[in-house]
Amino acid sequence: MPCAAIPLFSMPTWGPDVGVLLELKGLVAGYGAGDILLGIDLAVDEESLTCIVGPNGAGKSTVLRVISGLLRPTRGSVRFRGESIAALSPRSILNRGIVHVPQERSLFPTMTVWENVRLGAYTVRDRGLVERRLAAVAETFPVVKERRHELAASLSGGQQKIVEFARAMMLDPLLLILDEPSMGLDPKTRTTVFNTIRTMNDAGHTVLLVEQNARSGLGIASHGVVMESGRIRLEGTGPDVLGNPEIGRLYLGAA
Amino acid sequence: MNRLRDKRVLMAVGLVAVLTLTLVLPAISPESATTNMAVFTLMYVGLATAWNIMGGYTGYISLGHAGFFGFGAYALGLLLARLSIAGGYAPFLFVPVAGLLTGLMAAGVGWFALRTRAATFVIVTIAFMFMLQLLAENLTSLTGGGAGLGFPNPPWRGDFFNIPFYYAMLALAVLGLAVSWSIRRSKFGLGLLAIRDDEDKALAVGVPARAFKLTAFVISATLVGMIGSVYGYYVTFIYPQFVVDPLIGISMVLMVFLGGLGTLWGPVLGAVILEPAQLWLAYNYGASRLYLVLYSAVFLLVILLMPRGIIPSVRDLIAERRASAPAARAGAAP
């Protein structure tokens, strides 16, 4: 399918910021000596499911780290609901409603599933609200209810990932950032995990997803972004990007 | 749901039964050999429970809690001497003051010690304890140094002598358990467990780790200081190596490991098993330190056979039985 609408080396232009939840402009960032991100422009629409794909070392995770405040950008701006958040601490970014589920396993292994989920809302003071969210999360994520008294470490990798999602949902995030949630999972579990991401997005949560597995990621995305070497190479709707012959050749290993 | 309620009722009945039994024990068996053993057992129930709040829930292993024990004892002894309090029930009123002073000191020690983690923290606590022992020895004008510090003599005679101390230790053990229980159920306790599992992740979800660690440390030390002060009054004469005794610190740790680290009842179980065993050995084999051989043997066995302690191991065993029982039944069915 020809994709004239998708510019290579994209420099997208936006209209008035209606419906844009997060906006990155001219973002340059890196660790120590070198820059990893060499000018990223990206808009995440409200209630969208945006998926960033790309080869190893493209800077996908670095984008997420900048958004959640774990890394300060050298140049460029990060605006969340119109407010600049590039200089804020991870804690205050969390308080603004951006929750980051990291790539590695992040549950407390010797605590129960229920305690882990409860810890997600540790900063919420309103007890009634916490109870209501616990009930809602137990409804959405059956594994939380079924295995509530078991230690997190006794769960499979996929189940742990879903409990991590459940814990993130305890803050009722405006933006949920997921870093390679399917890493190390078998195909069947991967499907469950992606279905869960879909469900969370359908419930109205904006999701920004980074995936190594481009097919699965773009398959559920409303908006797809391809990164390479610190820049955005392609952008468009999920299916469009997935169907683009360029990306097929570059990243999906098609002939 | 019903089974849960049944279990709760059973637990409550058991708890009331045990508490009643401990309350009337001196009436059943008033001879001083028994009550003396009971005083020391209750003392260790309280100490192990208090240590568990820091070591078990928060995951910071302190081998220097004997320092707080000795500090509490000295604090009460000096208070009673300065205020010229006579022997009797009045000294017990100053036990909370001794605890408070210990807590204040722990806040200062913790402020520095809790900048370290894991093995470094263990070493810092040991160093603190020996520093305290040296201070008690050398500040002769205050503590009497190696010559020791005397308490006012309790006026009680015969079999009755142990009884007030028995109830004082019982009250402190129950207080410790109540504190431990309410921490375990609170949001504060949830934060402590998260710190134990992974302090950095705990910070990431918003647990104020530094403040929480320090609070747990101070609560733990305050309880230990109060127990130490009652001990000082009970033995009526203390000197540095005797109350700032590393073996007291090691004993509480061993009891918690034996019973179940981080559980509510593990420290109680560990103390009830080990302390009478130690006293029995001391009575039968004189003042030899044979019990130390027993302690090291127990420590080895616990670490080798059930590193998580009795209560978690038994709990797992029961859960396994329950899980396999329906499966076995299903397999037997045609």
Side-chain angles (χ1 to χ4, degrees):
Chain A
M1 180 179 158
C3 284
I6 304 167
L8 282 177
F9 298 101
S10 73
M11 230 4 193
T13 49
W14 293 294
D17 286 355
V18 180
V20 175
L21 185 66
L22 178 82
E23 191 182 44
L24 311 180
K25 268 190 182 161
L27 199 68
V28 177
Y31 312 91
D35 286 329
I36 305 277
L37 304 180
L38 307 166
I40 298 285
D41 295 290
L42 178 70
V44 174
D45 290 338
E46 262 171 44
E47 303 199 2
S48 71
L49 200 169
T50 304
C51 177
I52 305 178
V53 299
N56 266 335
K60 307 183 297 286
S61 297
T62 308
V63 172
L64 301 191
R65 290 176 61 84
V66 170
I67 296 169
S68 55
L70 296 170
L71 180 67
R72 289 257 169 104
T74 11
R75 260 179 295 141
S77 72
V78 184
R79 301 188 86 83
F80 183 67
R81 305 170 92 195
E83 179 200 9
S84 173
I85 58 167
L88 296 180
S89 69
R91 180 77 180 265
S92 24
I93 290 174
L94 184 75
N95 288 338
R96 276 164 178 73
I98 301 182
V99 176
H100 187 158
V101 178
Q103 191 175 330
E104 64 278 4
R105 291 188 179 168
S106 66
L107 294 181
F108 296 92
T110 74
M111 298 177 78
T112 65
V113 167
W114 196 252
E115 286 169 336
N116 266 286
V117 174
R118 174 70 189 71
L119 274 164
Y122 205 84
T123 50
V124 178
R125 282 168 198 278
D126 181 347
R127 272 195 167 189
L129 184 63
V130 172
E131 292 305 319
R132 282 199 297 283
R133 283 192 189 158
L134 271 171
V137 162
E139 233 14 80
T140 318
F141 307 90
V143 65
V144 170
K145 196 155 54 177
E146 286 155 16
R147 321 227 13 203
R148 54 186 295 168
H149 294 303
E150 286 175 50
L151 299 186
S154 72
L155 266 55
S156 72
Q159 288 171 329
Q160 288 193 30
K161 199 37 95 174
I162 288 172
V163 174
E164 284 178 47
F165 291 167
R167 185 172 72 185
M169 296 311 275
M170 287 298 290
L171 284 175
D172 197 17
L174 293 168
L175 176 62
L176 185 62
I177 299 181
L178 310 175
D179 195 353
E180 302 219 12
S182 78
M183 202 176 65
L185 301 182
D186 64 87
K188 193 171 159 243
T189 317
R190 194 160 63 214
T191 309
T192 316
V193 166
F194 279 108
N195 285 339
T196 310
I197 297 173
R198 212 34 202 276
T199 312
M200 294 190 289
N201 182 236
D202 288 344
H205 294 276
T206 311
V207 177
L208 176 58
L209 168 70
V210 153
E211 253 305 318
Q212 187 81 261
N213 188 316
R215 260 186 240 280
S216 306
L218 294 171
I220 59 163
S222 61
H223 190 72
V225 177
V226 180
M227 275 184 73
E228 194 198 24
S229 311
R231 294 179 204 277
I232 289 175
R233 296 288 302 257
L234 278 174
E235 227 184 318
T237 67
D240 277 357
V241 174
L242 197 55
N244 188 308
E246 179 76 356
I247 183 187
R249 195 177 56 73
L250 274 172
Y251 308 110
L252 297 181
Chain B
M1 211 55 182
N2 258 334
R3 202 164 80 186
L4 194 72
R5 201 186 305 141
D6 288 352
K7 211 174 127 191
R8 286 218 177 123
V9 170
L10 208 69
M11 284 274 284
V13 169
L15 206 62
V16 170
V18 170
L19 196 62
T20 317
L21 196 70
T22 43
L23 277 172
V24 300
L25 184 78
I28 302 169
S29 174
E31 59 278 9
S32 64
T34 316
T35 48
N36 174 267
M37 190 181 271
V39 168
F40 283 120
T41 304
L42 282 172
M43 176 178 105
Y44 273 107
V45 167
L47 289 176
T49 299
W51 185 88
N52 186 48
I53 291 171
M54 193 62 195
Y57 294 163
T58 322
Y60 275 77
I61 306 293
S62 159
L63 292 185
H65 263 46
F68 300 126
F69 183 82
F71 187 91
Y74 269 101
L76 183 69
L78 292 171
L79 270 171
L80 298 181
R82 293 292 148 97
L83 301 173
S84 316
I85 310 284
Y89 292 103
F92 288 120
L93 298 175
F94 293 87
V95 167
V97 183
L100 211 66
L101 290 171
T102 314
L104 273 176
M105 203 249 326
V109 173
W111 185 264
F112 295 104
L114 287 166
R115 284 167 193 275
T116 65
R117 290 185 189 181
T120 321
F121 176 78
V122 178
I123 291 164
V124 170
T125 56
I126 296 175
F128 145 75
M129 180 194 65
F130 281 115
M131 272 160 64
L132 214 68
Q133 201 189 64
L134 276 172
L135 281 173
E137 190 128 4
N138 291 301
L139 291 175
T140 34
S141 59
L142 184 69
T143 63
L149 177 71
F151 279 65
N153 276 321
W156 309 299
R157 292 286 164 262
D159 281 347
F160 186 76
F161 184 92
N162 289 336
I163 307 296
F165 295 103
Y166 175 84
Y167 284 109
M169 287 298 189
L170 180 62
L172 288 175
V174 170
L175 173 70
L177 277 166
V179 169
S180 176
W181 178 77
S182 56
I183 287 178
R184 184 64 185 82
R185 294 186 67 236
S186 68
K187 199 177 161 183
F188 170 60
L190 193 66
L192 295 185
L193 294 187
I195 292 171
R196 176 184 73 187
D197 248 24
D198 191 322
E199 195 164 337
D200 295 315
K201 283 182 200 163
L203 280 166
V205 296
V207 176
R210 224 175 124 58
F212 275 22
K213 285 187 295 185
L214 192 62
T215 310
F217 193 62
V218 169
I219 292 173
S220 176
T222 305
L223 288 166
V224 169
M226 287 199 280
I227 296 168
S229 71
V230 172
Y231 172 83
Y233 184 33
Y234 184 48
V235 298
T236 62
F237 189 79
I238 57 176
Y239 54 96
Q241 291 87 341
F242 188 57
V243 283
V244 189
D245 181 357
L247 286 172
I248 294 174
I250 299 282
S251 297
M252 13 181 157
V253 181
L254 179 54
M255 286 161 184
V256 174
F257 272 87
L258 175 66
L261 186 67
T263 62
L264 178 64
W265 296 106
V268 180
L269 187 64
V272 167
I273 294 172
L274 280 188
E275 185 54 19
Q278 188 229 296
L279 291 171
W280 181 81
L281 281 176
Y283 287 146
N284 289 282
Y285 297 93
S288 76
R289 293 211 147 175
L290 197 68
Y291 75 92
L292 289 178
V293 180
L294 169 83
Y295 269 28
S296 43
V298 169
F299 221 157
L300 270 175
L301 286 174
V302 168
I303 298 299
L304 283 174
L305 301 178
M306 39 179 193
R308 293 169 57 217
I310 295 176
I311 287 186
S313 303
V314 170
R315 204 181 274 156
D316 285 357
L317 207 68
I318 291 172
E320 247 169 58
R321 282 267 167 84
R322 258 197 208 136
S324 65
R329 243 177 277 135

